[in-house]
Amino acid sequence: MSSASWNIGIVCYPTFGGSGVMATEIGMGLAELGHKVHLLATAPPVRMRPHPNVMFHQVHVPSYPLFQYPPYSIALASTIAEVCRSHKLDILHVHYAVPHAVSAYLASQMLGSEAPKVVTTLHGTDVTRVGVETSYQPIIRMALMACDGLTTPSEFLQETAYQELDIPESKAIQVIPNFVNTEQFFPSPSRNGKPPDVSHLFPNDPDGNGSPLLIHVSNFRPVKRVLDVVDVFAKVSQQHPARLLMLGEGPDRPEAMKRINDLGLASKVCFADNSSSVVEHLQFSDVMLLPSETESFGLAALEALSCGVPVVASDVGGLPELVQHSTTGFLAPVGDTTKMAEATLQLISQPKRRTQFARAARQDALQRWERSRVLQQYESYFETILET
Ligand code: GMT
C-alpha cells in the first residue's frame, strides 16, 4: 500500500456495464487498502458493497417540463464540486468520458484552486462509438486534454484514443488493465473435469443432461452481436449435443429469443437475467462465446477465464490482448460464425483439450489480471499524478 491515505472520488454509471463494474471494483479495492472512497452516481452502483471507507453520493437530476433531456452533465458537475468541497478530495477518478470528463472539467472550473487532480479512464465506446460523434468529440477532447491523468484498459484503446480523439502523443495515456477478483471468480471445485448437472436450467430438455454448456454474458447491445451467438450455437448443435446460457439484459435480447424459437432450439437455450449469479453460471459452463463487433477489453471474457472457461471471441479491439489464441481460447474474424463454431466444437468434442485450455485460462487470470497487482498500479499512478 502507498504510505498515504487519500480521499478519492469515483464517478461512474451505476449499471451492469463493464465501466461501472470496474469503477466500483477499483473503489472497493482502494477502500480496502485504506483510502476513503466516495462513489458518485445516479443510483448505488451494482457492485457496491458496504465498507467503512466507502461513501455513496447520489446525483439528483431534477426534471422540468421544458426539458426534453434533463441536464445530467451539469447536475453531476455540481455534485462533484459539492463532494470535493465537503470531503477535500485529493483525486477524482471518472469512468467513461461521455459526459463524465466534461462534468469533471466543469467542477474543476467551479472549484479553482480547491480542485482535486482529475483522472479519466476511457472504457471503450466512449472513444470508439460515442466519443467520435461530431456532437461530442470536440468537447470530450477538450475535457480530456484538461485532465491530469488518462488511462485505458488496453493498448488497443490507448492507440484508438490518440487517433480518433486526436490527442497528441505529448499527452500521456497510461494503460492500466482491468482486473478480476480471482478469489470470487474461480473454477467450480466440484467439477473435476466432469460436466455439472444443469438440468434445472433446461426443464424442457430432459435428454440433454451432460451435454456441454456454452455461455454468453453481455448487455445485449448491438455491439455484442448476439445473433452471432445464436448462429454459432445453431452450427455447433448440428454436429454435437450442446446447450446455451444467455445471461444479461438489453435491447437485442428479444430478437435473439425470436431467432432461437424460429430455429426450434428453445428447449436447449436458457435466458437468465441480471439478478443471476455470473460466477455460478460460469462455473457450470464449458465455453464462453463473445463475438463482439468491438471490445476495448472484454471484462466478461476475463471473468470467464478466471473461472477456467475458455473463450471463443472475435479477433478485434483489445480481445487479442486478453485471449491467447489456441491456449486460453480461440479468436476468429468478426462475423465469422463458421470459424467460431469450429473452434467451439474443437473444445467441446475433446474434453481433455478443453481441460488444458481451462487450466491455462485460470493460470493466465492469476498471473496477468489479478486484482491486487492492478490495484497497486492504480496506487502508483495516483501517487505520480499527485506529485505533479
Ligand atoms: O464502452 C462500452 O460499451 C461501455 C462499457 C460498459 O460500461 O459496459 O464497456 C467497455 O468497458 C469495459 C470495461 O472496461 C470493457 O471490458 C468493454 O470491453 C468495453 N466495451 C466495448 O469496448 C464495447
Side-chain angles (χ1 to χ4, degrees):
M1 173 188 162
S2 107
S3 48
S5 148
W6 306 311
N7 294 322
I8 303 169
I10 294 188
V11 173
C12 67
Y13 287 111
T15 50
F16 282 92
S19 64
V21 166
M22 277 321 303
T24 312
E25 292 296 347
I26 292 166
M28 298 306 306
L30 292 172
E32 285 166 25
L33 290 170
H35 303 288
K36 293 266 183 278
V37 173
H38 299 266
L39 285 168
L40 289 77
T42 50
V46 289
R47 289 270 182 105
M48 193 175 84
R49 303 175 287 279
H51 189 283
N53 284 349
V54 175
M55 199 184 278
F56 171 64
H57 304 268
Q58 185 154 16
V59 179
H60 294 282
V61 188
S63 60
Y64 185 71
L66 181 65
F67 299 151
Q68 192 182 352
Y69 307 104
Y72 168 63
S73 314
I74 61 173
L76 173 59
S78 301
T79 311
I80 293 173
E82 163 54 24
V83 173
C84 286
R85 282 203 187 99
S86 314
H87 298 277
K88 306 257 171 292
L89 297 192
D90 301 293
I91 288 249
L92 179 71
H93 187 189
V94 307
H95 291 260
Y96 204 90
V98 188
H100 298 159
V102 176
S103 302
Y105 175 83
L106 291 174
S108 295
Q109 295 295 306
M110 291 165 73
L111 292 161
S113 60
E114 285 179 90
K117 298 285 185 182
V118 177
V119 172
T120 294
T121 291
L122 302 163
H123 275 278
T125 51
D126 49 352
V127 178
T128 57
R129 289 280 189 279
V130 194
V132 291
E133 293 280 352
T134 44
S135 314
Y136 299 133
Q137 202 264 11
I139 192 163
I140 294 299
R141 182 180 183 280
M142 181 277 298
L144 294 178
M145 290 299 291
C147 283
D148 301 285
L150 295 177
T151 81
T152 58
S154 62
E155 287 173 17
F156 158 78
L157 196 63
Q158 177 196 47
E159 189 52 41
T160 311
Y162 278 124
Q163 280 169 17
E164 300 290 341
L165 300 178
D166 193 24
I167 294 179
E169 295 265 331
S170 54
K171 182 84 184 167
I173 303 180
Q174 178 83 25
V175 177
I176 304 184
N178 290 335
F179 59 80
V180 63
N181 185 338
T182 54
E183 285 172 17
Q184 195 189 342
F185 287 84
F186 59 96
S188 164
S190 63
R191 193 172 168 123
N192 291 332
K194 282 187 238 122
D197 183 3
V198 291
S199 46
H200 61 289
L201 299 174
F202 300 91
N204 300 321
D205 182 30
D207 303 334
N209 285 346
S211 58
L213 185 62
L214 317 184
I215 187 168
H216 172 75
V217 183
S218 82
N219 47 29
F220 286 69
R221 291 191 199 141
V223 77
K224 302 292 174 181
R225 294 182 69 99
V226 288
L227 294 183
D228 281 5
V229 176
V230 177
D231 212 17
V232 172
F233 179 64
K235 285 177 175 158
V236 167
S237 297
Q238 282 168 6
Q239 301 201 36
H240 197 285
R243 292 169 170 191
L244 173 66
L245 189 50
M246 300 283 266
L247 206 163
E249 290 161 47
D252 286 353
R253 199 178 191 236
E255 211 183 331
M257 284 175 150
K258 183 177 177 308
R259 181 75 65 91
I260 282 162
N261 277 325
D262 292 349
L263 290 166
L265 290 169
S267 66
K268 299 193 178 301
V269 182
C270 167
F271 280 85
D273 62 23
N274 283 333
S275 64
S276 325
S277 154
V278 179
V279 182
E280 194 181 301
H281 286 101
L282 284 172
Q283 287 179 339
F284 289 148
S285 302
D286 294 277
V287 176
M288 165 170 272
L289 301 177
L290 195 64
S292 307
E293 189 170 319
T294 176
E295 204 68 69
S296 75
F297 182 87
L299 186 61
L302 174 56
E303 292 179 343
L305 296 173
S306 187
C307 289
V309 180
V311 175
V312 172
S314 19
D315 191 4
V316 76
L319 285 169
E321 295 171 49
L322 176 62
V323 179
Q324 293 182 38
H325 182 68
S326 290
T327 303
T328 63
F330 288 101
L331 297 165
V334 175
D336 194 338
T337 56
T338 302
K339 262 214 170 109
M340 291 179 194
E342 282 166 10
T344 308
L345 281 161
Q346 276 197 48
L347 290 165
I348 62 172
S349 61
Q350 304 173 54
K352 277 198 184 142
R353 186 132 196 253
R354 200 211 74 88
T355 305
Q356 277 170 3
F357 273 64
R359 289 207 182 107
R362 173 67 183 170
Q363 211 45 43
D364 194 36
L366 289 166
Q367 273 167 11
R368 290 200 295 160
W369 315 105
E370 213 280 313
R371 178 176 187 256
S372 57
R373 179 192 300 251
V374 179
L375 285 170
Q376 270 174 19
Q377 289 183 45
Y378 269 111
E379 274 197 319
S380 322
Y381 183 64
F382 286 173
E383 202 148 29
T384 315
I385 296 289
L386 284 165
E387 279 164 6
T388 54

